[in-house]
Amino acid sequence: MDYIIHGDDPCVLPDGTDAYAVAKKAGRFKQIKRTEGISSTDIVGRMLLCVRERSVSDSHNHSSLQRQFSHGHSQKFEDGGSGSRSGTRVSHFLPTSRRIVQFSNRKGPGPNAHIVYIDGAFDLFHAGHVEILRVARELGDFLLVGTHNDQTISAKRGTHRPIMNLHERSLSVLACRYVDEVIIGAPWEVSKDMITTFNISLVVHGTVAESSDFQKEKDNPYDVPISMGIFKVLESPLDITTTTIIKRIVANHKAYQKRNAKKVASEKRYYDNKTYVTSD
């Protein structure tokens, strides 16, 4: 190992010391610019807040969790009966065209490329997503992925979803090595015009998903590619979904609340004292 790489945000051990002090002293540490707003502390906090809000009466008419973060509303949740309060920051993620390009492989499809299309929420991007994208990519020369907008996901999955907003989810997908291009805010229904515009050869969907009842819906979003004979259901390699991840956090919510109380304070210091770091 030649170098240890970390973002320009601090990484502090429980005792308050620098986690990379030894590497820095040895000249083996490199600092790079972090992707603002993409923080595990924030994301865990959003899931904990989601759990908290679900326990509140519907009569309060709370807006969706995603909308709160996207629009800059600050929320707090009570810490497991201790009487103390710990909040989560709103997302600081500010997408720019250059940042999106940095995540892209900058390759377009060839003139005779077999283009495979798969869509979804891709919320809390996880190993299950990676594996189904790998399988999809093996079926063609170019993998096009559609990420649905936040409003569509909220309507289909409930007001507390998605946990991550559209641009956060899109960059997570775009960073995957198997993905060639992402449609940011893809339509729910795959239309003939869309198939023609992107020259899609095959539309696929995994067997493991938040909802696999799409073929039972009155308006199947894949009606057009099915009628064209270019739709295929793929066997998902892993039995894991976004809900699976959320359930893990919920099952250990007290431990995560304690963890986040410390991490939130650390991230606040970072944002209060951060300086400009160039990105190569």
Side-chain angles (χ1 to χ4, degrees):
M1 180 176 66
D2 296 316
Y3 291 100
I4 292 177
I5 309 296
H6 194 269
D8 59 318
D9 55 315
C11 187
V12 182
L13 296 173
D15 63 2
T17 59
D18 186 347
Y20 298 112
V22 174
K24 289 177 180 178
K25 187 176 181 179
R28 295 294 186 89
F29 181 81
K30 292 287 186 180
Q31 179 177 272
I32 60 174
K33 186 173 180 60
R34 66 176 280 178
T35 303
E36 296 293 350
I38 305 297
S39 161
S40 59
T41 303
D42 262 343
I43 294 169
V44 169
R46 296 182 205 184
M47 286 185 274
L48 293 173
L49 178 58
C50 177
V51 175
R52 168 65 183 165
E53 291 227 337
R54 281 179 177 173
S55 67
V56 178
S57 172
D58 291 339
S59 63
H60 286 75
N61 194 28
H62 287 285
S63 59
S64 74
L65 180 64
Q66 176 277 323
R67 198 170 297 113
Q68 292 168 24
F69 278 87
S70 294
H71 294 178
H73 300 162
S74 180
Q75 288 282 334
K76 293 185 177 182
F77 54 87
E78 293 184 4
D79 203 357
S82 66
S84 62
R85 296 179 72 83
S86 175
T88 62
R89 282 190 295 102
V90 296
S91 175
H92 284 268
F93 180 62
L94 300 174
T96 65
S97 56
R98 186 172 65 170
R99 177 51 52 85
I100 293 173
V101 170
Q102 287 177 329
F103 277 70
S104 170
N105 64 16
R106 309 185 189 190
K107 296 179 181 179
N112 299 311
H114 189 80
I115 300 173
V116 179
Y117 177 73
I118 184 171
D119 60 2
F122 296 99
D123 198 14
L124 302 179
F125 195 72
H126 52 70
H129 292 139
V130 174
E131 286 303 299
I132 193 63
L133 292 174
R134 176 184 61 79
V135 173
R137 181 63 175 79
E138 291 174 350
L139 296 178
D141 309 305
F142 191 91
L143 182 60
L144 176 65
V145 181
T147 53
H148 299 309
N149 65 39
D150 302 326
Q151 292 75 17
T152 297
I153 297 170
S154 291
K156 298 292 182 180
R157 309 276 166 79
T159 57
H160 294 286
R161 301 284 284 274
I163 300 297
M164 299 175 70
N165 67 40
L166 174 61
H167 289 100
E168 291 170 333
R169 292 182 287 107
S170 295
L171 280 193
S172 296
V173 173
L174 196 57
C176 180
R177 64 183 296 184
Y178 305 113
V179 177
D180 295 294
E181 191 170 5
V182 172
I183 300 176
I184 302 174
W188 181 253
E189 295 183 3
V190 181
S191 66
K192 179 66 167 65
D193 180 70
M194 180 179 168
I195 292 171
T196 301
T197 297
F198 292 99
N199 196 28
I200 296 170
S201 306
L202 180 67
V203 177
V204 300
H205 190 279
T207 53
V208 175
E210 291 294 307
S211 174
S212 298
D213 295 333
F214 61 90
Q215 296 190 61
K216 299 178 183 178
E217 294 180 8
K218 181 179 180 181
D219 297 311
N220 187 335
Y222 304 112
D223 272 340
V224 172
I226 289 174
S227 68
M228 296 173 65
I230 60 169
F231 179 78
K232 183 175 183 179
V233 175
L234 305 180
E235 187 68 33
S236 298
L238 295 178
D239 184 15
I240 182 173
T241 66
T242 299
T243 297
T244 305
I245 304 298
I246 295 175
K247 285 181 177 179
R248 292 178 186 176
I249 300 296
V250 172
N252 299 280
H253 70 281
K254 288 187 177 180
Y256 276 105
Q257 283 179 338
K258 185 176 180 180
R259 165 195 178 275
N260 259 31
K262 295 179 179 179
K263 294 284 287 183
V264 166
S266 174
E267 290 215 347
K268 184 179 186 304
R269 288 194 296 272
Y270 161 74
Y271 278 102
D272 288 343
N273 303 305
K274 78 173 185 176
T275 57
Y276 177 74
V277 176
T278 59
S279 56
D280 297 328

